[in-house]
C-alpha cells in the first residue's frame, strides 16, 4: 500500500496536477533578439503586451527624453511605422531593448527555471540585463549609448546570404564558397568584407560599399531576394567598428557591470557563470571583442543546447524573425536529433520546445 501510494504521489508531482500540487518547472534558455526585429507589424508592441509595466517604461522614457531623444513610448505609439525613424540605430536599439526586457519580465517564473541567457548581436546587451549583469537602467544605458554611437558613425553596412535550402539542409559547398568569396573580395585593394554574424543557416556579412557591391555583383541571387542589404545597419562585429568600441569604452564605466544571476552565453559560445565572472573581462568583451569581431550566434546556441540542456528555448520579442535562425542553429547542433525544417515543425507540433514570444500563437506558452 505504501509503495503504491508513494508511486502515485510521484506520478502526480511529475504531471503537475494531483491534489493541487504545483506543476514541475521546465528549464529554459532565454534568447534575446538584435536589430531589425521591430518592423511595421510590431508597431504598438509595448502598449499591446506591457501596459502593466508603466513604471519601467516611464523610467526608460525619462532617460531618452533627458538626452533629447524620442521616447520609446512615442516610437511605439506612433501613428504609423517609419523606416527612416524606427530603424535608426539610436531609436531601434532602445525600442527593441525595451520590448525584449519587458518580455523577459513576463516569462512565467512558476513554469520556467531560467538556466541561461544569450542573444544575437545587440541582443547580447539585452542578455546582460536579463541575466542581471546589468540593471534594467544600466542595460538601457549600454544599448542606447552603443546604438547612438553606431548611428553617429554609421561605418559600413551589412547584408545577409543563406547557405541552406528550404528544408534547412546545407547546400553542398555553399558555405565554403561564400567564405572563399568573402576572403577574395576582402583581399582586393580598396575593398572591405568580412563575416559579421554566423546566424544559423545564413551568414551576415559586413563591409564598405566596394566590398558589399562586389559580393552582390558576383554571387548568385538566391530565393529572389539574397544578397539582401539591411537598412540602417552599420558594419557591426568587424574591425570597422574600432572607433565605436573605443567611444563606448570611454562612456560606459566598469561600475555598470555586476555578477549575473543567470549563466550567460556570449557570441563566441563562452559561458559566464554567476558568482564567478571577472567583471572587467566581461566589460572588455562587451565593449571590445563583441563589437569588432564576428558574432557566432550559432555557436552560442550550440553551447546552450549541449552544456545547459534546457527543456525549452524562449525567444524574446519583438518580432519572430530570430526564431528561424534559432531553430536552424539548434538543428546544426544536433539538438534532439532534429535534422530538417520539416522535422522541426513536426516536433514543435507535438511538444513546443522553442517558444517565440513575438508570435501571438506561441506567446501564451511563455
Amino acid at each position: 500500500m505504501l509503495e503504491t501510494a508513494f508511486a502515485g504521489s510521484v506520478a502526480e508531482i511529475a504531471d503537475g496536477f494531483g491534489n493541487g500540487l504545483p506543476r514541475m518547472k521546465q528549464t529554459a534558455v532565454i534568447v534575446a533578439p538584435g536589430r531589425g526585429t521591430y518592423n511595421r507589424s510590431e508597431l504598438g508592441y509595448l502598449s499591446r503586451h506591457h501596459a502593466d509595466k508603466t513604471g519601467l517604461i516611464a523610467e526608460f522614457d525619462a532617460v531618452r527624453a533627458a538626452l533629447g531623444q524620442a521616447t520609446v513610448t512615442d516610437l511605439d505609439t506612433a501613428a504609423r511605422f517609419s523606416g527612416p525613424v524606427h530603424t535608426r540605430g539610436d531609436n531601434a536599439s532602445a525600442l527593441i531593448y525595451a520590448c525584449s526586457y519587458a518580455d523577459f519580465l513576463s516569462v512565467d517564473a512558476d513554469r520556467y527555471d531560467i538556466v541561461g541567457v544569450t542573444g544575437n548581436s545587440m541582443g547580447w546587451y539585452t542578455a546582460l540585463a536579463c541575466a542581471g549583469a546589468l540593471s534594467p537602467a544600466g542595460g538601457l544605458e549600454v544599448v542606447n549609448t552603443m546604438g547612438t554611437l553606431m548611428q553617429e558613425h554609421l561605418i559600413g553596412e551589412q547584408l545577409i546570404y543563406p547557405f541552406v535550402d528550404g528544408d534547412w539542409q546545407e547546400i553542398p559547398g555553399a558555405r565554403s564558397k561564400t567564405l572563399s568569396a568573402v576572403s577574395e573580395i576582402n583581399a582586393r585593394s580598396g575593398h572591405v568584407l568580412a563575416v559579421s554574424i554566423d546566424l544559423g543557416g545564413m551568414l551576415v556579412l559586413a563591409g564598405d560599399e566596394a566590398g558589399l557591391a562586389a559580393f552582390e555583383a558576383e554571387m548568385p541571387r538566391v530565393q529572389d531576394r539574397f544578397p539582401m542589404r539591411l537598412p540602417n545597419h552599420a558594419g557591426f562585429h568587424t574591425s570597422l567598428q574600432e572607433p565605436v568600441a573605443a567611444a563606448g569604452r570611454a562612456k560606459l564605466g566598469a561600475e555598470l557591470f555586476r555578477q549575473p544571476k543567470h549563466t550567460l552565453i556570449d557570441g563566441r559560445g563562452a559561458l559566464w557563470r554567476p558568482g564567478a565572472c571577472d567583471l572587467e573581462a566581461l566589460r572588455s568583451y562587451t565593449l571590445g571583442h563583441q563589437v569588432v569581431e564576428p558574432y557566432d550566434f550559432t555557436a552560442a546556441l550550440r553551447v546552450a543546447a549541449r552544456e545547459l540542456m534546457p527543456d525549452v528555448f524562449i525567444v524574446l520579442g519583438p518580432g519572430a524573425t530570430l526564431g528561424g535562425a534559432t531553430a536552424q542553429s539548434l538543428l546544426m547542433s544536433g539538438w534532439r536529433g532534429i535534422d530538417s525544417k520539416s522535422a522541426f515543425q513536426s516536433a514543435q507540433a507535438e511538444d513546443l520546445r522553442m517558444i517565440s514570444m513575438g508570435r501571438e500563437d506561441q506567446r501564451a506558452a511563455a
Side-chain angles (χ1 to χ4, degrees):
M1 288 291 292
L2 180 61
E3 182 179 355
T4 302
F6 182 74
S9 66
V10 170
E12 289 172 346
I13 293 172
D15 287 340
F17 292 112
N19 299 323
L21 291 169
R23 183 185 297 274
M24 291 283 284
K25 285 188 179 184
Q26 290 186 306
T27 56
V29 165
I30 302 293
V31 185
R35 289 277 302 278
T37 53
Y38 191 107
N39 297 298
R40 192 176 308 278
S41 60
E42 281 70 54
L43 190 65
Y45 192 92
L46 271 177
S47 58
R48 282 197 304 275
H49 298 301
H50 300 296
D52 61 330
K53 300 180 181 68
T54 53
L56 176 72
I57 296 168
E59 182 182 355
F60 291 168
D61 283 347
V63 171
R64 296 268 298 175
L67 295 170
Q69 297 175 310
T71 67
V72 293
T73 295
D74 286 345
L75 292 167
D76 184 65
T77 59
R80 62 180 182 178
F81 179 84
S82 168
V85 173
H86 285 86
T87 66
R88 284 174 55 96
D90 49 353
N91 290 334
S93 297
L95 184 54
I96 291 167
Y97 170 75
C99 293
S100 298
Y101 189 74
D103 269 2
F104 170 74
L105 294 180
S106 298
V107 173
D108 189 343
D110 292 329
R111 297 172 66 184
Y112 299 106
D113 179 18
I114 297 170
V115 295
V117 187
T118 190
N120 175 47
S121 190
M122 187 213 91
W124 170 249
Y125 305 140
T126 306
L128 288 168
C130 294
L134 295 171
S135 69
L140 179 68
E141 183 176 353
V142 172
V143 165
N144 204 57
T145 297
M146 297 306 289
T148 299
L149 288 171
M150 291 282 185
Q151 185 65 35
E152 289 174 349
H153 289 78
L154 212 59
I155 308 168
E157 293 184 67
Q158 282 181 319
L159 62 77
I160 53 178
Y161 197 71
F163 56 87
V164 295
D165 62 22
D167 200 30
W168 296 348
Q169 300 293 303
E170 183 170 347
I171 300 167
R175 180 185 171 88
S176 60
K177 185 181 294 184
T178 300
L179 292 175
S180 294
V182 170
S183 180
E184 194 276 324
I185 291 170
N186 188 60
R188 299 176 191 173
S189 177
H191 292 66
V192 177
L193 189 65
V195 172
S196 173
I197 308 173
D198 203 317
L199 191 62
M202 295 187 292
L203 292 172
V204 181
L205 308 180
D208 61 8
E209 178 57 32
L212 292 167
F215 185 89
E216 290 168 329
E218 297 169 26
M219 291 298 286
R221 190 160 178 79
V222 179
Q223 301 172 22
D224 290 329
R225 56 189 179 130
F226 301 107
M228 179 191 292
R229 291 272 185 127
L230 299 174
N232 270 330
H233 285 225
F236 308 145
H237 311 297
T238 70
S239 60
L240 291 170
Q241 300 307 308
E242 288 284 4
V244 172
R249 289 191 294 272
K251 288 177 176 288
L252 299 167
E255 71 280 358
L256 288 169
F257 292 81
R258 56 195 190 180
Q259 289 293 329
K261 298 175 183 176
H262 304 295
T263 296
L264 282 154
I265 310 99
D266 70 22
R268 303 164 298 182
L271 295 169
W272 300 84
R273 300 282 191 179
C277 288
D278 179 333
L279 296 186
E280 181 50 44
L282 183 60
R283 176 180 178 270
S284 178
Y285 166 76
T286 298
L287 303 175
H289 186 288
Q290 188 271 144
V291 182
V292 301
E293 297 290 341
Y295 198 96
D296 197 338
F297 179 73
T298 304
L301 267 292
R302 180 173 63 248
V303 170
R306 294 180 179 179
E307 296 294 325
L308 304 181
M309 297 184 290
D311 295 315
V312 335
F313 284 84
I314 300 176
V315 184
L316 306 177
T321 54
L322 188 61
T326 300
Q328 290 168 0
S329 298
L330 293 173
L331 182 153
M332 291 174 180
S333 74
W335 183 62
R336 299 182 180 274
I338 297 170
D339 60 3
S340 66
K341 180 179 181 179
S342 53
F344 174 78
Q345 291 173 331
S346 295
Q348 283 282 91
E350 292 180 9
D351 191 7
L352 204 61
R353 293 300 188 184
M354 193 193 81
I355 301 167
S356 291
M357 293 186 73
R359 287 182 52 164
E360 295 298 331
D361 63 333
Q362 294 184 5
R363 185 176 183 84

